[in-house]
Amino acid sequence: KAEADGMASLEKQLKEEYKSFVKTKKSSIIQVYRGQLIHKDEIMRLKSNQGQLVSMNSFLSTSTNREKALQFTINQTPPSDLLTSILFEIYVNIQSPSRPLADIKHLRGFSDDEEVLFMFGCIFRLDDIFFDEELKIWRGKLTLCGDNDADMKDFLATLHKELNGMNKHIALGTY
């Protein structure tokens, strides 16, 4: 119960931040980036699922600054041969997100972070994944699905049946 209350509180706060965030944007489309290490097996799974939906079972921290995300990706040496670097490029229509997201740099105290945080449970369409020969890293292109996306509606209907009364905030962490 406490976990569900905590998640609901975080979701409420992120929704409030989202309202302010949208008012500051001139365009309804933004692009954010995330550089990270990823298991090579996961790369192969993603490659075989291009065009499909991908659900994030954790909060997703991204940057509006491509160069910062890219530097993080390029400068991080994988601690294992099983890991590789990837730069995710995420397209977002901020007028119709399925889950809350917001620019939280003013909450962190590091104003140059340019951080946009996505609530856990966001669903993205994996548009493309490829190895960039010039940068020597993997790149993945994602689009945040909105509530009107037909594939997302199908996914959520199936998920609702599978959850069968479970608390959605706790159950989504398992998908």
Side-chain angles (χ1 to χ4, degrees), residues 3 6 18 33 54 58 74 108 115 146 152 155 166 168:
E3 286 180 22
Y18 166 76
Y33 308 91
V54 177
S58 64
I74 292 173
R108 300 221 16 203
E115 182 176 7
M152 183 153 142
F155 171 75
M166 289 176 64
K168 69 177 183 175

Side-chain angles (χ1 to χ4, degrees), residues 139-152:
R139 291 178 46 202
K141 296 185 181 236
L142 305 170
T143 301
L144 180 65
C145 292
D147 289 329
N148 294 325
D149 184 281
D151 289 337
M152 183 153 142

Side-chain angles (χ1 to χ4, degrees), residues 7-8 14 17-19 41 54 62 70 77 87 89 96 101 103 107 113 118 135 140 158 162-163 167-168:
M7 285 296 151
L14 206 50
E17 292 295 330
Y18 166 76
K19 290 176 189 174
D41 288 348
V54 177
T62 64
L70 188 57
T77 304
L87 176 69
E89 302 168 6
S96 63
L101 63 123
D103 184 334
L107 299 174
D113 270 3
F118 291 78
L135 296 173
T158 301
E162 289 180 13
L163 294 179
N167 182 301
K168 69 177 183 175

Side-chain angles (χ1 to χ4, degrees), residues 3-4 7 55-58 99 120-121 155 158-175:
E3 286 180 22
M7 285 296 151
S55 175
M56 299 294 177
N57 64 357
S58 64
R99 307 280 294 140
F120 78 91
F155 171 75
T158 301
L159 183 62
H160 182 70
K161 286 178 190 174
E162 289 180 13
L163 294 179
N164 195 21
M166 289 176 64
N167 182 301
K168 69 177 183 175
H169 291 110
I170 294 173
L172 273 177
T174 64
Y175 282 86

Side-chain angles (χ1 to χ4, degrees), residues 4-21:
D5 290 343
M7 285 296 151
S9 175
L10 285 172
E11 184 172 20
K12 182 179 177 185
Q13 183 179 1
L14 206 50
K15 282 180 180 178
E16 289 302 314
E17 292 295 330
Y18 166 76
K19 290 176 189 174
S20 300
F21 175 58

